[in-house]
Amino acid sequence: MKRFLFFAFLAAAFPLFAQKIARPVSNLKNSYTIENSAYSVGYAGNYGIPVWEMHEFSPKMLEGSFTAQTDWKADDRVKGYRITKKDIEGQKLEPVQLYPRTEAKHDLTAQASTFLTSNLVFMCTALKDNIWERITYSFELLAKQYGTVYMYSGPIFEKDSYKVKYMFNNRIAIPTAFYRIALYFVDGKPAYKCYIIKNRIPTDYDRICDLENFAYNIFQLEADTGIDFFESYIDVNFRQDKIKFLEGSSH
C-alpha cells in the first residue's frame, strides 16, 4: 500500500515524467519512430522528411547549448534518401532543422552530420526568419514561466497525395504548411498552444501580425495530419473537448 501511495504521489507531483515517454501516434502508412538522446522524430510513407518531431524546452536547457556530438551524429536508422549539402545548392527553399533551432549553426562538423539524419524540412527562408523563429521564442518564454515545455513540429502536406510536390528526383516532399505545438502544465493541468504557418513568402501583414493569427485547433490539426500528438497523456477535459469537436465536424 505504501509503495502504491509513493508512486501515486510521483505521478501527481511530476506529470511531466509521464508525458516524457508519451510520443505522437501516427495512422499514416509505414510509420516508424526514432528516439535520440535529445529528441524523438517520426517518419511515414515516402515523404522523405519527418512528419513529426518532439523535444523539450526547460529554463536549464535554454541557458546551455546543444553541442554534444551524440545529438548530431548521422543516424543509420533513418530509412530512405539522405540529404547532403550538394543537394541543396541553388535551391529556393531553405533546409530547416526541426530540432534544435540554430544550436549547431556554427559547428560545421555537427551541421554536416545533421544533414545526414534527414531531420530537415524545406521552408521558405523569409518564413523561417519572420514567423517560425517568433513562435520558437514564444515557446521559450513559456518554458521560463512554467518550466518544461514539450514542443512538437512538423510538416503538413496536401491531403490528395497526387497533389504533393517533390524535389530531389521525386524523393523529398515539399510541405504546404508547418505546425508548431507547445504542451506545458499550469498548476498541474495540461495546456497547449498550436500554430500553423503556410509554406510561402510571408506578406507584409504576416510579418507584423500577432502570433495568435496563426493559432489553430489542435483537433483539426490531428485530422489534417493523421497524428495524435499527446492523447496518451492529456487530461479528461481535453478528451471531452476532442469528442465534442469530432461530433461537430461529422455533421
Side-chain angles (χ1 to χ4, degrees):
M1 182 63 180
K2 290 183 178 179
R3 179 175 294 183
F4 170 80
L5 292 175
F6 173 74
F7 284 109
F9 169 76
L10 286 180
F14 303 101
L16 295 178
F17 176 79
Q19 173 58 22
K20 189 173 183 179
I21 61 175
R23 297 291 182 253
V25 177
S26 172
N27 62 15
L28 301 174
K29 294 181 179 179
N30 303 319
S31 297
Y32 66 99
T33 302
I34 289 179
E35 301 280 352
N36 293 299
S37 59
Y39 62 92
S40 299
V41 61
Y43 296 84
N46 298 316
Y47 290 129
I49 55 177
V51 292
W52 63 262
E53 180 277 339
M54 173 185 174
H55 68 276
E56 63 180 79
F57 277 161
S58 68
K60 182 178 180 180
M61 294 171 66
L62 294 175
E63 295 171 0
S65 62
F66 301 91
T67 57
Q69 291 300 310
T70 55
D71 294 345
W72 297 101
K73 66 180 181 181
D75 197 327
D76 292 333
R77 295 173 295 176
V78 178
K79 303 173 185 177
Y81 189 62
R82 302 298 180 86
I83 303 301
T84 67
K85 288 188 175 182
K86 186 176 180 180
D87 287 323
I88 65 171
E89 291 177 355
Q91 297 291 336
K92 295 181 180 180
L93 297 174
E94 178 180 358
V96 175
Q97 300 164 341
L98 287 177
Y99 168 88
R101 301 172 300 120
T102 55
E103 282 75 8
K105 182 177 180 180
H106 303 297
D107 187 334
L108 298 181
T109 301
Q111 189 180 63
S113 295
T114 302
F115 280 112
L116 295 176
T117 66
S118 293
N119 182 23
L120 300 166
V121 294
F122 293 87
M123 181 185 298
C124 172
T125 301
L127 173 67
K128 174 183 180 293
D129 294 339
N130 287 281
I131 303 175
W132 181 268
E133 293 298 349
R134 285 169 57 196
I135 294 176
T136 300
Y137 178 67
S138 73
F139 288 173
E140 291 178 350
L141 294 180
L142 288 175
K144 291 178 180 179
Q145 182 174 1
Y146 297 109
T148 299
V149 172
Y150 291 89
M151 192 174 85
Y152 306 73
S153 301
I156 301 175
F157 303 100
E158 291 279 358
K159 289 187 176 181
D160 185 342
S161 60
Y162 292 101
K163 293 183 179 180
V164 178
K165 296 180 180 179
Y166 288 79
M167 60 193 301
F168 305 139
N169 296 320
N170 292 323
R171 292 180 175 181
I172 304 296
I174 304 302
T176 57
F178 299 95
Y179 63 82
R180 308 209 78 177
I181 308 169
L183 172 66
Y184 55 102
F185 291 79
V186 181
D187 297 328
K189 296 182 179 180
Y192 70 90
K193 296 272 188 183
C194 177
Y195 303 100
I196 65 166
I197 45 181
K198 294 182 179 179
N199 193 18
R200 56 169 171 74
I201 298 175
T203 64
D204 290 338
Y205 174 76
D206 291 332
R207 291 186 175 93
I208 64 173
C209 72
D210 191 278
L211 286 183
E212 291 309 307
N213 288 60
F214 301 96
Y216 202 65
N217 185 289
I218 183 67
F219 312 130
Q220 184 61 55
L221 178 62
E222 291 185 336
D224 294 341
T225 60
I227 301 172
D228 286 331
F229 290 99
F230 34 77
E231 177 70 7
S232 57
Y233 181 73
I234 210 68
D235 67 357
V236 64
N237 292 328
F238 181 94
R239 292 192 178 93
Q240 290 174 348
D241 291 342
K242 184 173 183 177
I243 291 173
K244 291 179 181 178
F245 175 82
L246 294 174
E247 288 177 345
S249 62
S250 64
H251 296 305

